Amino acid sequence: MQTEPFRWALLVVGLALAGTAAAQVARPLTLEGKTALYQRVIAVPGAELFATIDPPPAEGRAVTPFTAFYVYARRASGDRQWLQVGTDSNGTLDGWLPAEQGIEWKQTLTVAFKDPANQPRVLLFADRDSLKSLVDSGDAAGYRDLRQRAEQGLAADSPVAAIQPNGYIDIRRDFYLVPILGHEDVLIGAHQGRLLHVASVPLRDPTPADGAYRAGVVFVIDTTISMGPYIERTRSTMRRVYETIAAAELSERVSYGLVAYRDNIDAVPGLEFDTRVYATLTDGLSGDEFLSRIRTVQPAAVSSQGFDEDAYAGIVKAIEGIDWTGYYARYVILITDAGPRISGDPLSTTGLDSASLRRLALDNDIILGVMHLKTPEGASNHAYAEDQYRRLTSISGIGDFYHPVATGDVAGFEQALGAMTAQLTQQVRDAAAGKQPLRVAEPSAPGTELASFQQKVAKLGYALRMRYLKDQGGQAVPALFDAWMIDRDFDDAAERAVDVRVLLTRDQFSDLHEVLQQVLATAEEGALAPDDFLDELKSLAATISRDPEAAKSTSGVTGGASLAELGYMREYLEGLPYRSEVMNLDLSTWQQWSAQRQFEFINQLDGKVAYYRAIHNNVDLWVSLDGGPVDGDSVYPLLLEALP
């Protein structure tokens, strides 16, 4: 977290630091009409770097195709235009690149392919017009025909240059780039879509999954005063689980961990701790070690404040405090009888809402599940807790991984826990035996809550096993330089066919967090003193921009303006294929909102702030495009919709 004054230039590549020392460091050129967005180019295959252009060089050194460079200078020498480039924004110069060997990449947008097991594969066209004609005519049949042909092999006369790999390549596991060089709005049926002009950039050769299929499961268990019976049943269930694991000789393939949580100890010091790791996945490789470590887990001796508890702190501890290396199937299972403290709750230690925590888990390739004990004592809390936990555990194509235990029945809880752990063990046993995963059939009639829960566990296991087998094949992103695609599928235009992500640097995340935190604080004050809200936002916009002209430019702004019009993030957001949920907030609308609606917006913003902080602080999520250690220029592919 930076402690210097807040900066206005959000999400910009290589933001210049203030001060005399920074003035002595070379900085990249800015984009035309911008003051903080830096120029970047992507090197074409066959590009060369030269140490000097005076005199004209005889030969250069080869550049790895699709390397992303910052542009520090543009010069003409001889009959060529040249770019002085570097792979970071801190003044490190790599040499001179012929201008024709670098293609402009203005907004660091990239495509991430979705899992083809859940939807048809995306086509990449050699030229815009061939794809545009299909879109304009709404020729869904023609698109399907081209896909069927491409799946059999690409013909020389086909307008399709490549097709999305048949196996799923998770951008969070095996980072790749498909930079978006341009985009154009179109209509697919009744839905707005985008033609995307892209390049394809495999950063590394695809590699098979490392080692055997292994599953790690971490329980996050509520250890407040009411949870004693469930803690004991968890212990007895896990004894049987480890007996099964040992009998099947799967000790190296299945491991369990346990994180306990209580509540905010600032409010009730007698709780002793908010979160505590009792057993890591390393501990869980041995049944004796795991059982020994969880033997000391006991419920609190005092009650927490209110019925909601800090469950999300326990989940964050399981995500960030456990080493998940080597585990392909990753589960965090919350066991609780209470609702969670989320953003806006003064006793929440994470500040995360359910949507932000769900994204954080997905970013770490972790599946979240909840076993909710609906005890009679918590009846008034059940609806709220269920709503939040279903939001938290929603999984595309499967539903929510949420299991309610009616009346908090202890025997029913033990039965559900035993059924789930038995299924997970069997899935790993099947993988070890080389059995092919079997697709799970839909039930012919509604079943019990437990049957529904077991079916979801089976579906999750099938999806993970199928992805694992495809990863073993080492499929690669198509190696193209120039292509066109559509971001929606003709057959289901309501769903995005690909994810659009924006590469943010670690420094940008820091800036984003700081400025949004200031906006959040101002919004909270504005909810209490609405008459001063606009003036406070105008003042903040001028302060964080470090631009003495900023105050003048907003002096005539009225209550009908948006945050973007005040200067917040406007320079970056202009031109993005995205409408900012926060920054396009009309301030006159804010003033018309009820206090309840204003606080709902504040809580939503609070959740985003906490999410950005968690991403920034998790070093394992960051990728260095130059192959070096994680630093301020390392990037993270943030979903476009996750911008504020």
Side-chain angles (χ1 to χ4, degrees):
M1 188 67 61
Q2 299 170 6
T3 56
E4 58 179 306
F6 295 103
R7 291 171 281 178
W8 169 77
L10 308 179
L11 312 178
V12 293
V13 180
L15 180 66
L17 299 174
T20 304
Q24 299 172 352
V25 177
R27 291 297 177 192
L29 301 176
T30 56
L31 292 169
E32 183 178 358
K34 308 293 184 181
T35 61
L37 283 173
Y38 290 156
Q39 296 181 25
R40 300 194 75 176
V41 295
I42 299 170
V44 304
E48 292 183 300
L49 274 178
F50 298 83
T52 179
I53 56 174
D54 295 318
E59 60 181 38
R61 69 181 189 276
V63 176
T64 301
F66 312 121
T67 298
F69 288 112
Y70 294 93
V71 178
Y72 282 83
R74 293 177 180 265
R75 285 181 54 187
S77 181
D79 59 353
R80 305 177 83 174
Q81 295 293 321
W82 295 84
L83 310 175
Q84 190 178 33
V85 297
T87 54
D88 65 42
S89 63
N90 300 315
T92 304
L93 302 177
D94 290 286
W96 291 88
L97 181 75
E100 72 274 12
Q101 294 181 5
I103 189 167
E104 305 291 337
W105 187 25
K106 294 183 178 180
Q107 291 174 309
T108 62
L109 292 174
T110 187
V111 164
F113 292 110
K114 293 188 174 182
D115 190 344
N118 300 326
Q119 63 183 44
R121 295 157 71 185
V122 176
L123 300 179
L124 293 93
F125 286 72
D127 64 276
R128 169 192 175 277
D129 293 344
S130 297
L131 177 57
K132 185 67 160 55
S133 65
L134 289 173
V135 173
D136 289 344
S137 61
D139 190 1
Y143 191 89
R144 282 196 301 270
D145 181 61
L146 287 171
R147 180 165 53 222
Q148 289 171 358
R149 294 183 185 182
E151 288 173 342
Q152 302 304 314
L154 296 171
D157 60 349
S158 173
V160 177
I163 184 171
Q164 174 188 351
N166 188 37
Y168 179 47
I169 304 175
D170 190 338
I171 194 171
R172 297 170 308 227
R173 285 178 177 264
D174 292 297
F175 183 77
Y176 60 86
L177 279 179
V178 183
I180 298 175
L181 308 177
H183 51 83
E184 178 181 341
D185 289 342
V186 294
L187 281 177
I188 306 293
H191 299 275
Q192 179 177 306
R194 308 180 190 111
L195 288 183
L196 302 177
H197 183 201
V198 302
S200 182
V201 188
L203 287 191
R204 58 177 69 92
D205 292 332
T207 55
D210 181 20
Y213 183 88
R214 302 175 69 207
V217 184
V218 174
F219 294 115
V220 174
I221 189 165
D222 180 348
T223 58
T224 51
I225 197 168
S226 60
M227 288 292 293
Y230 307 102
I231 294 171
E232 183 52 45
R233 291 301 178 102
T234 300
R235 273 195 285 260
S236 62
T237 298
M238 293 312 298
R239 291 189 198 99
R240 293 192 294 273
V241 167
Y242 272 102
E243 289 172 0
T244 302
I245 290 173
E249 298 182 347
L250 296 174
S251 298
E252 295 298 318
R253 299 253 191 154
V254 186
S255 183
Y256 288 86
L258 190 142
V259 173
Y261 77 89
R262 288 177 179 171
D263 204 11
N264 193 314
I265 58 174
D266 290 337
V268 184
L271 291 171
E272 298 180 354
F273 63 83
D274 186 8
T275 66
R276 178 177 292 173
V277 177
Y278 276 87
T280 67
L281 290 175
T282 301
D283 300 327
L285 289 172
S286 163
D288 290 342
E289 182 69 17
F290 177 85
L291 295 171
S292 172
R293 288 183 175 273
I294 70 169
R295 191 172 295 121
T296 59
V297 178
Q298 297 294 333
V302 299
S303 297
S304 54
Q305 181 172 306
F307 205 83
D308 291 334
E309 287 151 1
D310 206 6
Y312 288 0
I315 294 176
V316 170
K317 175 65 76 172
I319 293 172
E320 299 180 348
I322 298 291
D323 183 1
W324 293 90
T325 304
Y327 292 94
Y328 198 89
R330 303 174 178 183
Y331 297 89
V332 169
I333 308 298
L334 173 67
I335 301 171
T336 183
D337 65 351
R341 298 195 187 279
I342 61 175
S343 58
D345 187 324
L347 296 184
S348 167
T349 60
T350 68
L352 291 166
D353 59 18
S354 299
S356 297
L357 181 53
R358 175 179 173 272
R359 280 195 298 265
L360 181 63
L362 290 174
D363 291 334
N364 288 272
D365 209 24
I366 290 172
I367 294 169
L368 297 180
V370 174
M371 301 188 74
H372 180 200
L373 310 164
K374 290 189 166 183
T375 60
E377 294 80 7
S380 62
N381 184 256
H382 289 168
Y384 162 76
E386 179 172 345
D387 177 63
Q388 293 300 323
Y389 291 145
R390 288 192 187 277
R391 293 170 186 256
L392 176 70
T393 62
S394 176
I395 301 170
S396 178
I398 294 177
D400 53 72
F401 194 23
Y402 166 86
H403 179 61
V405 179
T407 70
D409 179 54
V410 176
F413 161 71
E414 187 172 24
Q415 182 185 18
L417 184 63
M420 181 193 69
T421 52
Q423 281 181 274
L424 296 179
T425 301
Q426 186 61 47
Q427 289 167 8
V428 176
R429 178 186 291 171
D430 289 346
K435 294 182 180 179
Q436 291 296 308
L438 299 177
R439 184 178 292 276
V440 182
E442 294 295 332
S444 57
T448 64
E449 288 281 7
L450 180 57
S452 175
F453 183 60
Q454 288 178 290
Q455 185 177 54
K456 290 176 182 177
V457 175
K459 285 183 177 180
L460 285 169
Y462 173 82
L464 287 169
R465 289 280 317 282
M466 288 300 296
R467 190 180 72 178
Y468 173 79
L469 292 174
K470 290 174 181 178
D471 282 356
Q472 289 283 68
Q475 300 194 47
V477 174
L480 300 174
F481 183 66
D482 196 35
W484 291 83
M485 64 168 49
I486 187 75
D487 72 343
R488 293 186 185 271
D489 191 83
F490 284 95
D491 292 329
D492 189 8
E495 295 294 327
R496 296 284 182 193
V498 295
D499 288 328
V500 175
R501 292 179 178 259
V502 57
L503 293 189
L504 300 182
T505 69
R506 203 154 182 258
D507 283 345
Q508 291 163 10
F509 256 78
S510 178
D511 295 325
L512 176 60
H513 173 263
E514 287 179 352
V515 177
L516 283 186
Q517 198 167 40
Q518 285 293 92
V519 172
L520 176 63
T522 304
E524 290 172 335
E525 294 171 2
L528 300 175
D531 293 340
D532 301 329
F533 186 41
L534 180 59
D535 288 338
E536 291 292 336
L537 284 175
K538 288 163 61 177
S539 175
L540 177 60
T543 300
I544 62 179
S545 70
R546 294 184 177 174
D547 182 358
E549 298 299 315
K552 297 179 183 178
S553 67
T554 61
S555 60
V557 172
T558 66
S562 67
L563 293 178
E565 289 169 331
L566 286 176
Y568 296 96
M569 300 171 62
R570 176 176 57 196
E571 184 166 302
Y572 182 80
L573 291 173
E574 285 176 343
L576 281 178
Y578 164 78
R579 179 174 173 81
S580 171
E581 182 181 41
V582 173
M583 293 301 147
N584 281 320
L585 171 65
D586 187 298
L587 298 183
S588 63
T589 301
W590 165 274
Q591 292 169 331
Q592 295 168 12
W593 279 349
S594 66
Q596 177 63 31
R597 181 66 185 91
Q598 289 179 352
F599 279 112
E600 288 174 358
F601 178 84
I602 288 170
N603 289 344
Q604 183 181 17
L605 182 56
D606 192 18
K608 284 185 178 285
V609 169
Y611 172 64
Y612 299 146
R613 180 173 64 246
I615 292 293
H616 176 273
N617 293 341
N618 191 335
V619 178
D620 293 339
L621 296 178
W622 294 88
V623 176
S624 295
L625 295 179
D626 61 2
V630 171
D631 60 15
D633 278 321
S634 298
V635 298
Y636 174 76
L638 182 74
L639 275 170
L640 200 60
E641 291 76 11
L643 284 171

